[in-house]
Amino acid sequence: SFLKLSVTSGKSTRLLPIPFTIGLLVLALWGALSILWHLLGSSDSAAALQASLPPSQLKWRSTGSVRWASASRPLTAEESCTPTKLGGKVVLVTGTGGFVGYATAMSLRKRGDGVLGLDNFNSYYPVSLKRSRADELEQAGIFTLETDLNDIASLEQAHSICKFTHILNLAAQAGVRYATKDPDSYINSNVAGFTTILEFVKNLDPKPRVVYASSSSVYGLNTKVPFAEHDVVDRPASLYAATKKSNEMLAHTYNHIYGIATTGLRFFTVYGPFGRPDMAAFAFANKIMLDQPVKIFHGPGGSELERDFTYIDDIVKGTVAAIDHIGPSEKPAPFKVYNLGNKEPQNVTYLVNLLEEFLGKKAIKKYIPMPPTGDVLKTSADVSLAEEDLGYSPSISLREGVRRFIAWYKDYFPNGLPDDMATYQPL
């Protein structure tokens, strides 16, 4: 019941109870870690350390070390969130280092809304791509706070500066298969992070309106197609899908109790310029250019996966329309969920064929059984509700979308893939 410590008094060695000893050790470790983090937080090496850690192991800084102005341009958070047109909205866009967040923030700013971004720049895929997006946004007058969704102190400070009218929550741990490797990151970001956003909003007066990213993944093991918003979605096929379904449930809860207006957007397989390198179009293009096999999943009986591939411009139009049409955060506040898809599912082989055509290079196709990591056989969107309420009307075919994506891809990588992208292996 005792531990011997290497601390002596005179010629005798003191023996202390285990709980007391463990307490001393914990305090000493906590003190050492606090000092280390303080030192790292005051240097540029902090960002490098954060980028090297799995998303679920990141420790986020308080407002004391969050930058509120660009280090490379004369741009402040206050300037970023100031509208350039009379009556413009003031929108906090989380996930501006990400694909849809970047594109939507750019669209909002171009029309005159004030926009402040937020992103933790985690290392799920090459951070250089996220930094490039953030740099493009800065050129357009949009500043991105580098912090985490769970940093409520920074959220409060941002609101004191900007007085947000709307919050567009697009930050999340993405990817279906990566959840088998780092499940904690999905809980930390998608569940805890979204809860932090809602807790932040509930205490404001007036309360901002909240539009957030759900996912087509919530339809899970449903076999009835096309998927419609009124379908039951209680059979998720992945942890990612479960966290996105939890977002819809959390939104309903805070809508009911606190009168927060919420709109969830179920995105269907988004692709296009500045896309995600873990998604099919980008990942397959990389494989083709590197002369590596392109793995195409087969389901039961040799059936091939089909996806409702949706071009980024169509997704942005639907997202902006959701911001424009959401009602006020006053009881009874509106609670909405919409599908944003393309309405025309295509099999994966057709996508690869288009990539071959526009890259001018053949793929090494490798057909393999679909692994048990959360993928579903087919996604197909019924967008009639979004058409009726938001005026949503997707117009970019997969062929035209891939043509535009490859034009960007060739321009962005004129000298071939850099090392971080060439060595990146999505699950």
Side-chain angles (χ1 to χ4, degrees):
S1 63
F2 288 83
L3 288 178
K4 180 179 286 188
L5 298 181
S6 57
V7 178
T8 61
S9 175
K11 294 183 179 180
S12 62
T13 300
R14 296 184 63 191
L15 298 176
L16 297 175
I18 287 175
F20 185 80
T21 303
I22 291 175
L24 288 176
L25 292 174
V26 170
L27 287 173
L29 179 60
W30 179 256
L33 289 175
S34 298
I35 293 171
L36 175 62
W37 191 257
H38 174 75
L39 292 173
L40 287 171
S42 62
S43 70
D44 291 338
S45 62
L49 174 65
Q50 288 179 348
S52 70
L53 292 174
S56 64
Q57 296 181 22
L58 295 175
K59 178 176 179 178
W60 294 105
R61 298 164 291 175
S62 68
T63 52
S65 55
V66 173
R67 286 186 180 137
W68 295 88
S70 171
S72 57
R73 293 182 177 83
L75 176 64
T76 67
E78 184 175 7
E79 292 167 335
S80 178
C81 63
T82 301
T84 58
K85 69 175 182 180
L86 186 64
K89 297 174 175 62
V90 182
V91 188
L92 172 65
V93 181
T94 71
T96 42
F99 179 26
V100 181
Y102 154 79
T104 309
M106 190 72 79
S107 178
L108 292 169
R109 190 60 175 170
K110 283 182 178 178
R111 73 176 194 172
D113 292 332
V115 179
L116 182 66
L118 182 151
D119 205 287
N120 65 16
F121 294 94
N122 74 31
S123 57
Y124 167 60
Y125 59 76
V127 179
S128 61
L129 185 64
K130 300 180 181 186
R131 296 289 182 191
S132 291
R133 296 185 188 120
D135 186 67
E136 293 255 339
L137 290 176
E138 283 201 1
Q139 293 179 46
I142 301 168
F143 179 68
T144 296
L145 296 177
E146 186 169 348
T147 192
D148 187 72
L149 286 177
N150 292 293
D151 181 3
I152 196 165
S154 290
L155 292 174
E156 292 170 346
Q157 177 68 14
H159 185 70
S160 71
I161 295 171
C162 297
K163 298 296 187 290
F164 301 114
T165 61
H166 296 70
I167 292 177
L168 177 60
N169 186 52
L170 301 177
Q173 178 55 57
V176 169
R177 292 182 288 277
Y178 185 70
T180 62
K181 179 179 179 182
D182 187 12
D184 288 350
S185 63
Y186 291 78
I187 305 303
N188 294 341
S189 181
N190 303 7
V191 181
F194 188 51
T195 303
T196 300
I197 290 287
L198 294 171
E199 281 289 308
F200 158 64
V201 170
K202 80 175 190 183
N203 295 317
L204 301 178
D205 185 21
K207 297 179 183 68
R209 309 166 194 205
V210 177
V211 179
Y212 64 95
S214 183
S215 169
S216 62
S217 295
V218 301
Y219 291 105
L221 300 179
N222 288 14
T223 56
K224 188 223 83 178
V225 290
F227 300 146
E229 292 88 347
H230 60 261
D231 294 342
V232 176
V233 286
D234 58 4
R235 296 195 302 158
S238 66
L239 177 60
Y240 172 70
T243 64
K244 286 301 182 178
K245 171 60 178 175
S246 79
N247 284 174
E248 296 181 4
M249 297 171 70
L250 286 164
H252 185 274
T253 301
Y254 280 76
N255 168 270
H256 171 70
I257 297 175
Y258 302 107
I260 300 173
T262 64
T263 296
L265 303 175
R266 294 173 176 173
F267 297 141
F268 281 71
T269 315
V270 190
Y271 73 99
F274 257 129
R276 277 173 35 202
D278 63 321
M279 297 287 281
F282 205 140
F284 290 169
N286 287 350
K287 294 291 187 184
I288 293 170
M289 297 308 296
L290 294 169
D291 294 315
Q292 296 175 356
V294 173
K295 296 178 182 178
I296 302 174
F297 295 155
H298 268 180
S303 58
E304 190 171 327
L305 269 65
E306 293 183 44
R307 291 290 180 268
D308 202 342
F309 297 105
T310 311
Y311 190 68
I312 183 62
D313 289 6
D314 287 329
I315 290 291
V316 168
K317 289 176 183 177
T319 303
V320 171
I323 292 172
D324 289 343
H325 286 78
I326 190 171
S329 287
E330 301 171 354
K331 287 188 174 183
F335 170 82
K336 301 285 187 179
V337 175
Y338 296 104
N339 287 338
L340 294 185
N342 189 50
K343 303 189 296 183
E344 296 182 3
Q346 301 284 355
N347 67 46
V348 176
T349 294
Y350 179 59
L351 170 67
V352 176
N353 291 343
L354 291 174
L355 291 169
E356 290 178 318
E357 177 182 346
F358 293 112
L359 284 170
K361 187 174 183 179
K362 298 297 291 183
I364 304 170
K365 300 186 184 76
K366 184 178 180 180
Y367 292 90
I368 63 173
M370 185 169 66
T373 49
D375 284 291
V376 296
L377 284 173
K378 181 176 181 176
T379 64
S380 177
D382 177 349
V383 299
S384 56
L385 185 61
E387 288 175 341
E388 180 179 350
D389 289 1
L390 308 178
Y392 176 69
S393 181
S395 60
I396 307 299
S397 68
L398 182 58
R399 180 181 183 80
E400 173 61 16
V402 171
R403 185 194 69 77
R404 295 184 188 184
F405 165 66
I406 293 303
W408 168 85
Y409 184 89
K410 290 178 177 179
D411 182 65
Y412 190 77
F413 299 118
N415 301 312
L417 297 177
D419 288 343
D420 61 345
M421 191 62 70
T423 56
Y424 170 64
Q425 294 294 331
L427 293 181

